[in-house]
């Protein structure tokens, strides 16, 4: 099972995996960004409030000292009418208000606190450069932590997304192979009851395996039933054919013999299909020239069919089985198509074409289905003849393709293995 699972995967599995990864990465980055902004705002507000509190306390002390006539040009860093005081803060203090503002003093960032003092402006400054550096370091640490957390969550999401996409791909591949007729394939996902209850992918895989097993049992039962019925019918039909030969000559005898032969042919076809389904057919390979083989098979049908040998080739095949395939295709072309019917041999390729309405779209897409009718408007189907031809072609390793010509008519192509 690993061999087919390791083949190139379709694009949708990668798309699903990347969508899950990008979604997880986006959510992780969004959460990290929101948390980072919240932490930044809280810590910044806390740190700035501490500096502002210190500036206000220094200003209160300076105002008291100034009111008592104490020297205020040093000690607490208070300055009367400082030159570097920001103009908006100076205007506020001269108007009788108090305030704080970030500014510069001697080329260094500080927080100014100013208040009116007897027609002058009294101001104190508190260093702010270290606080700003601390906030920048804090932002760098927050950003690094957020990126690390987002990366870790993304990697974990990538791992789980990969597991989900692989299991979905495996389930989809099994479903396609079941559609193609391979009922032995399974997903290989263990049917753990508890896991299936909580894991939708496991539940789907287990249901698919159960469906395939049930379908396989039903088809095997139908195949055995068909084989048993055909085998039981064979003996009485043979006796009925012999008994019909004793009837007096006339139209009734012809009609009875015609219907009995048709029923006998159907029984033999069912037996042959049963052997093909059971894998009991053993081909007898030998080397032949394809042109003469095709001409011989067409002559055996007794139907009008032009044989064109463009280029002959030596092939390795079972003559009897190849006769059966070509005869069934020629008969089908006459029964469901329209003349003229032509058979062309070009190297190891045989092409049979008629001028009828062509094959039904379902047959072209999915191949022949036993007893399946074609277009209801035409009232025609492809019965067992094409099914037997497809089965014998598989036994011989012949590539068989059904198509419709652009100008009209059914085209069947056989590609035989070269000798």
């Amino acid at each position: 099972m690993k061999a087919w699972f390791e083949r190139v995967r379709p694009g949708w599995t990668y798309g699903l995996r990347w969508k899950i990864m990008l979604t997880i990465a986006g959510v992780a980055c969004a959460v990290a960004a929101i948390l980072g902004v919240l932490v930044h705002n809280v810590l910044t507000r806390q740190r700035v409030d501490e500096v502002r509190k210190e500036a206000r306390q220094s200003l209160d002390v300076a105002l008291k000292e100034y009111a008592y006539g104490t020297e205020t040009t040093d000690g607490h860093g208070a300055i009367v009418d400082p030159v570097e005081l920001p103009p908006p803060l100076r205007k506020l203090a001269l108007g009788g208000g108090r305030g704080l503002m970030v500014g510069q003093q001697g080329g260094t960032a500080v927080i100014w606190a100013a208040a009116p003092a007897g027609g002058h402006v009294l101001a104190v400054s508190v260093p702010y450069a270290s606080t700003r550096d601390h906030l920048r370091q804090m932002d760098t640490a927050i950003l690094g932590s957020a990126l690390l957390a987002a990366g870790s969550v993304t990697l974990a999401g990538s791992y789980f997304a990969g597991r989900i996409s692989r299991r979905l791909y495996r389930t989809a591949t099994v479903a396609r192979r079941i559609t193609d007729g391979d009922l032995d394939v399974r997903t290989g996902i263990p049917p753990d009851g508890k896991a299936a209850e909580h894991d939708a992918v496991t539940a789907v895989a287990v249901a698919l395996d159960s469906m395939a097993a049930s379908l396989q049992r039903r088809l095997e039962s139908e195949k055995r039933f068909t084989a048993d019925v055909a085998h039981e019918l064979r003996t009485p039909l043979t006796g009925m054919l012999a008994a019909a030969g004793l009837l007096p000559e006339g139209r009734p005898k012809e009609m009875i013999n015609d219907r009995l032969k048709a029923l006998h042919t159907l029984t033999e076809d069912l037996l042959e299909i049963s052997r093909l389904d059971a894998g009991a057919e053993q081909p007898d390979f030998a080397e032949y020239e394809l042109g003469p083989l095709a001409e011989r098979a067409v002559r055996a049908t007794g139907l009008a069919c032009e044989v064109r040998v463009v280029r002959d080739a030596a092939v390795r095949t079972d003559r009897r089985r190849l006769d059966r395939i070509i005869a069934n295709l020629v008969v089908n072309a006459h029964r469901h198509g329209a003349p003229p019917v032509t058979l062309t041999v070009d190297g190891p390729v045989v092409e049979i074409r008629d001028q009828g309405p062509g094959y039904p779209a379902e047959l072209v897409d999915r191949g022949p289905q036993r007893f399946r009718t074609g277009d209801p408007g035409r009232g025609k189907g492809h019965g067992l003849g094409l099914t037997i031809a497809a089965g014998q072609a598989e036994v011989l390793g012949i590539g068989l393709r059904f198509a419709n010509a652009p100008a009209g008519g059914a085209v069947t192509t056989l590609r035989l293995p070269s000798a």
Side-chain angles (χ1 to χ4, degrees), residues 357-376:
Y359 287 124
E362 184 180 8
L363 188 149
V364 174
D365 294 337
R366 302 184 58 184
Q369 308 291 317
R370 60 192 69 173
F371 300 116
R372 183 69 57 82
T373 59
D375 187 348

Side-chain angles (χ1 to χ4, degrees), residues 97-401:
R98 299 177 60 172
L100 296 93
M101 183 174 289
V102 178
Q104 296 286 328
Q105 185 179 25
T108 304
V110 297
I111 288 185
W112 288 99
H120 298 280
V121 176
L122 183 65
V124 295
S125 62
V126 176
Y128 187 65
S130 61
T131 301
R132 180 178 292 176
D133 293 340
H134 177 74
L135 292 176
R136 288 174 179 172
Q137 293 175 1
M138 180 185 66
D139 290 342
T140 301
I142 292 174
L143 179 61
S145 300
L147 291 177
L148 179 61
S152 300
V153 172
T154 301
L155 289 176
S158 173
Y159 170 74
F160 288 108
R163 289 191 59 187
I164 293 174
S165 65
R166 283 193 296 270
R167 292 161 67 194
L168 284 175
Y169 170 69
R170 182 187 305 174
T171 304
T173 303
V174 169
R176 285 193 296 270
R177 293 185 63 180
I178 291 174
T179 302
D180 293 338
D182 185 0
L183 299 180
D184 294 324
V185 68
R186 297 292 184 270
T187 62
I189 298 177
D192 188 345
K194 294 182 179 180
E197 292 178 1
H198 305 285
D199 187 346
V201 178
T202 300
V204 171
V206 171
L208 182 62
D209 286 348
S210 177
M211 180 197 70
S214 176
L215 182 61
Q216 187 176 35
R217 288 193 298 268
R218 180 174 299 181
L219 289 178
E220 291 296 334
S221 176
E222 291 179 357
K223 289 177 183 178
R224 287 194 298 270
F225 175 77
T226 301
D228 292 342
V229 170
H231 187 270
E232 293 298 326
L233 286 175
R234 191 177 193 181
T235 301
L237 276 175
T238 303
M240 293 173 66
L241 282 170
L246 302 177
L247 294 174
E249 298 296 332
R251 181 60 179 166
K253 178 179 180 180
E254 293 178 1
M255 295 177 61
I256 292 175
N257 281 333
D258 180 66
R259 292 299 87 197
L260 285 176
K261 288 179 180 178
L263 186 57
H264 185 267
T265 300
L266 175 61
T267 302
E268 293 296 328
D269 288 345
L270 289 175
L271 286 172
E272 185 172 358
I273 289 178
S274 298
R275 291 193 298 270
L276 289 170
D277 289 339
E281 297 286 344
Q282 298 296 327
D284 183 14
F285 285 109
E287 292 186 10
Y288 300 93
E289 293 296 321
L290 183 56
L293 276 187
E295 293 173 349
R296 174 180 178 274
V298 169
R299 284 196 304 270
T301 64
L303 300 173
C305 178
E306 180 183 358
V307 179
R308 303 171 181 171
V309 180
V310 177
R311 178 171 56 91
D312 207 350
V315 295
R316 180 174 174 80
T317 188
D318 184 322
R319 185 180 66 181
R320 182 182 65 82
R321 297 179 190 278
L322 182 61
D323 287 348
R324 176 73 157 149
I325 295 171
I326 294 177
N328 281 13
L329 295 177
V330 172
V331 170
N332 185 81
H334 278 274
R335 183 175 298 170
H336 303 297
V341 177
T342 60
L343 184 149
T344 304
V345 177
D346 188 358
V349 178
V350 177
E351 181 181 277
I352 300 171
R353 179 176 178 179
D354 62 59
Q355 302 300 319
Y359 287 124
E362 184 180 8
L363 188 149
V364 174
D365 294 337
R366 302 184 58 184
Q369 308 291 317
R370 60 192 69 173
F371 300 116
R372 183 69 57 82
T373 59
D375 187 348
R378 292 199 292 262
K380 298 178 181 180
H382 42 93
L384 297 178
L386 296 185
T387 303
I388 293 175
Q392 293 290 5
E394 184 176 357
V395 171
L396 298 180
I398 297 175
L400 180 61
R401 187 173 70 91

